[in-house]
Every structure is written in C-alpha cells, then in structure tokens.
Amino acid sequence: LSKAYIVGAGPGDPGLLTVRALQVLQSAEVVLYDRLVSPSILALIPDTAEQIYAGKIEGEQAEVQGFISRMLVEHTLAGKRVVRLKGGDPLVFGRGAEEWRLLREAGVEVELVPGVSAALSVPGLAGIPPTFRGIADGFAVVTGHLRDGSEQVDWSKYASVDTLIILMGVRTRVEIARELIRHGRPPDQPVAFIERGATPAERVILATLRDVAEGGVEVENPAVFVAGEVVRLRPFLVDGLGLAQLLDRAECLEVDPT
Ligand SMILES: C[S@@+](CC[C@H](N)C(=O)[O-])C[C@H]1O[C@@H](n2cnc3c(N)ncnc32)[C@H](O)[C@@H]1O
C-alpha cells in the first residue's frame, strides 16, 4: 500500500518541529506546503525534493481541495515519498482531516505527524498560558472566520469560556468583540493579539475587549486573538515583573481551601 504523510510544521520556529516531522521532511521526494509554513522550515527540505506551493492554487475551496488531494494521490501512487506539510497541527483548522479522508478513499495509506498548534504555542511563547490555577480552569479554540458572511460562529456558546483563543479572527475582530460583549463577556477584559508568533517578527498587542469592539486596535495577519484574565500574567512571565508576588499568589492558590 502506498503511503503519504500529513505533517504539522508547528508555528514557525524550526526548533518547534517534532523529531518525526524532521525525519519525514528530510526523506521527502515531494512536499506540498501551505502559506503559513515558514521559510526556515522549508529550508530543511532536501534540494532533491520537489516543492509545490499549494497556497497559489486558485479557485473554489472545494475544487482546490480536490486538486491538492489528486496531486497527493498521483505522486504517491507513482511511488514517491509525498509529504503534505501544514502550519501548526494539520487537524486544527487545517483541512488535514479532509485530505486524509480523500487519500484513504483513493487507497493511499496515511501517516499523521501531529504538529505544535499556534493555538497554544503562540500565546504560550508570549507569556499567556491558556490555563492558570485560580484564574482560568479551561479554554476554547475557535475560528473567527465567517465563511462568505452567511454562516456565523455562535458566540453565545463561547462567551463564558475562561480563556478564548481565536484563530483567523483578525479581519472580523470588531464583530467578534461586540458579539462577546453582547453575550456577557466583561468589556474591560484584557485581550492580546500575537502577530507572527514563534518568528523573529513577533509582535504582541494588548488591549481590552471594549477597545477592540470600538475598532481602535490595529492588527496584521497572521495573529492569534486571546481574550481572558490570563492575559494579565504576561508581564509576570515575560518581564519577570513582580515575580515574587506571582509566586506568593501561586502558593496561596496551592492551599486546599477545605
Ligand atoms: C488556517 S489556521 C491554521 C492553524 C494551524 N493548523 C495550527 O494548528 O496552528 C491559520 C490561523 O492560525 C493562526 N496562526 C498560525 N500560525 C501563526 C503564527 N505563527 N502566529 C500567529 N498566528 C498564527 C492565525 O490565527 C491564522 O489565521
């Protein structure tokens, strides 16, 4: 049975590739990659491998997906070691599962190599943990992308989650912030946008949900949008400000109230 590899490239820094991802990339003969795969990761692909940029294939999304899957199938059945390389984790808003299914339908075996998703690593590297004892018990990762404007995310389902991590939410940030406030999220809650996380060009923008709802926060793609009290931890973790107080607080929180 022929085999293809669906591989997560992580958020951008080659140091955040998995060992398996590096092994598979270094023995690849054909690599189909997406827009968000960083140049420093593409530099790890051997010169002998054919590199195909899937981001430039244009058309309706379904047609593009069909075309990419056919290319994967054709090259694999021709006996090539084919790698489908996607930013972050292939199964987090990456259509990796769609391609996996189409490959299986065509009789191709698939090895999935999970990747480090931007959803958790990009906020983490910026000193914003998704959970913190006493501050956030849980988180949700949600798309901010509104497909053709008709299908919308139902923000009432997410408005009360402690930490909200929104991908593809730059363009629609004003609408998202308004919806979250409308569904009861506090307008003065801190938010962060982390642009180009895990790359040397990273930029972190801090604001409140109200600032975003009022349209006053400029952000560029790609960025992860985080809303929640955990954003307040960043100065403690990144700048080491008041670390003593943070440790005090953590110790207090360790004490079982019962
Ligand atoms: C189509 S989704 C793919 C997510 C990917 N599969 C993952 O697990 O990270 C693309 C979105 O991920 C986020 N993203 C991916 N890489 C990023 C990075 N290095 N810095 C900031 N945001 C990033 C942005 O919100 C972007 O719009």
Side-chain angles (χ1 to χ4, degrees):
L1 198 63
S2 306
K3 183 164 157 188
Y5 298 81
I6 299 180
V7 177
D13 178 348
L16 298 175
L17 273 176
T18 64
V19 174
R20 182 65 183 147
L22 184 61
Q23 278 173 348
V24 167
L25 271 186
Q26 287 183 332
S27 59
E29 290 171 301
V30 178
V31 180
L32 256 115
Y33 65 97
D34 279 344
R35 192 169 48 83
L36 280 175
V37 177
S38 73
S40 48
I41 286 180
L42 295 176
L44 299 170
I45 300 170
D47 292 341
T48 49
E50 185 185 350
Q51 292 188 24
I52 305 169
Y53 174 45
K56 71 171 180 232
I57 302 165
E58 288 184 4
E60 288 291 311
Q61 196 52 50
E63 277 171 34
V64 172
Q65 240 6 94
F67 184 75
I68 292 172
S69 302
R70 272 199 305 284
M71 266 202 296
L72 290 171
V73 169
E74 276 167 24
H75 282 106
T76 308
L77 295 181
K80 294 276 164 82
R81 198 168 156 100
V82 179
V83 173
R84 178 68 171 116
L85 187 62
K86 289 171 170 287
D89 182 273
L91 305 187
V92 176
F93 304 127
R95 295 180 183 269
E98 274 113 307
E99 290 176 21
W100 185 348
R101 181 173 60 87
L102 290 167
L103 285 162
R104 293 298 293 139
E105 274 173 15
V108 171
E109 196 187 319
V110 170
E111 178 178 325
L112 175 77
V113 182
V116 171
S117 177
L120 295 185
S121 59
V122 165
L125 290 166
I128 303 171
T131 65
F132 194 90
R133 200 190 262 253
I135 294 181
D137 298 329
F139 59 88
V141 178
V142 191
T143 174
H145 184 64
L146 310 179
R147 277 142 297 187
D148 67 37
S150 52
E151 265 181 79
Q152 301 219 355
V153 175
D154 178 0
W155 291 102
S156 70
K157 285 198 295 193
Y158 302 105
S160 62
V161 172
D162 287 344
T163 305
L164 263 182
I165 299 167
I166 302 157
L167 301 190
M168 297 172 284
V170 169
R171 193 174 50 82
T172 50
R173 64 192 179 281
V174 172
E175 203 174 338
I176 293 169
R178 287 184 184 158
E179 280 293 289
L180 290 173
I181 292 171
R182 190 164 78 82
H183 291 293
R185 221 166 161 88
D188 59 353
Q189 182 167 79
V191 304
F193 291 89
I194 306 114
E195 288 174 356
R196 296 178 291 272
T199 74
E202 178 193 277
R203 192 167 79 111
V204 180
I205 299 145
L206 299 172
T208 64
L209 208 50
R210 184 188 293 108
D211 299 333
V212 182
E214 288 173 353
V217 181
E218 290 305 317
V219 189
E220 280 173 28
N221 261 316
V224 175
F225 176 0
V226 187
E229 293 302 318
V230 288
V231 171
R232 293 190 205 281
L233 294 168
R234 174 175 153 82
F236 294 100
L237 301 182
V238 171
D239 309 321
L241 283 186
L243 199 57
Q245 290 99 300
L246 179 71
L247 293 176
D248 279 345
R249 171 156 201 172
E251 264 166 26
C252 295
L253 295 167
E254 292 291 339
V255 176
D256 190 340
T258 52

